């Protein structure tokens, strides 16, 4: 049973930092590229960041470049998103998701339940 569980969200003030975690189980964690995807209130899903299997390659959407850092610890089956200089428009539910595989043809194969990040003064 594949499972991804996010944690670390909460209410913070503008300019604050926060670290999100995502623990995977039920699959070979190191075989998957991983992503963070978020959904702001009333908005659609927005891809945020990607990291490859070994953790050496990453990518970010323009709005978070220089502020967010994605990294992973395959020994702990854990994905992280370090967020700094948080602003109100970062408010969203943040999901971790595995990269889609060629066999499925999907952008993302598995999703976590999400963790709420609220940035407000």
């Amino acid at each position: 049973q594949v499972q991804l569980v996010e944690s670390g969200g909460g209410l913070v003030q503008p300019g604050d930092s926060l670290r999100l975690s995502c623990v995977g189980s039920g699959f070979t964690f190191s075989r998957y590229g991983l992503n963070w995807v978020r959904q702001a209130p009333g908005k659609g899903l927005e891809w945020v960041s990607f990291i490859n299997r070994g953790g050496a390659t990453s990518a970010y959407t323009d709005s978070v470049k220089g502020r967010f850092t994605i990294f992973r610890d395959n020994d702990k089956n854990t994905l992280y998103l370090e967020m700094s200089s948080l602003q109100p428009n970062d408010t969203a539910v943040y999901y971790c998701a595995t990269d889609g595989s060629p066999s499925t043809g999907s952008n993302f194969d598995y999703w976590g339940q999400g963790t709420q990040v609220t940035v407000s003064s």
Side-chain angles (χ1 to χ4, degrees):
Q1 182 179 356
V2 172
Q3 189 171 28
L4 294 165
V5 180
E6 300 96 334
S7 63
L11 174 63
V12 297
Q13 296 182 3
D16 282 357
S17 297
L18 203 60
R19 178 183 289 185
L20 306 182
S21 300
C22 172
V23 179
S25 61
F27 67 104
T28 304
F29 192 81
S30 63
R31 292 290 187 91
Y32 285 82
L34 298 169
N35 303 268
W36 288 100
V37 181
R38 67 186 181 185
Q39 186 168 34
K43 303 292 182 63
L45 293 168
E46 178 189 23
W47 172 81
V48 176
S49 186
F50 162 81
I51 188 166
N52 76 334
R53 299 173 184 180
T57 301
S58 61
Y60 304 88
T61 192
D62 286 344
S63 64
V64 309
K65 286 181 179 177
R67 300 189 299 119
F68 290 11
T69 301
I70 188 170
F71 60 103
R72 64 193 294 168
D73 186 341
N74 287 339
D75 290 335
K76 297 181 178 179
N77 289 165
T78 303
L79 171 72
Y80 302 93
L81 184 67
E82 187 74 50
M83 305 182 292
S84 63
S85 301
L86 285 163
Q87 298 300 315
N89 60 8
D90 293 315
T91 295
V93 177
Y94 284 72
Y95 301 92
C96 62
T98 64
D99 245 19
S101 62
S103 61
T104 66
S106 300
N107 289 334
F108 312 105
D109 282 348
Y110 303 108
W111 295 74
Q113 85 291 342
T115 186
Q116 176 71 50
V117 173
T118 302
V119 185
S120 177
S121 60

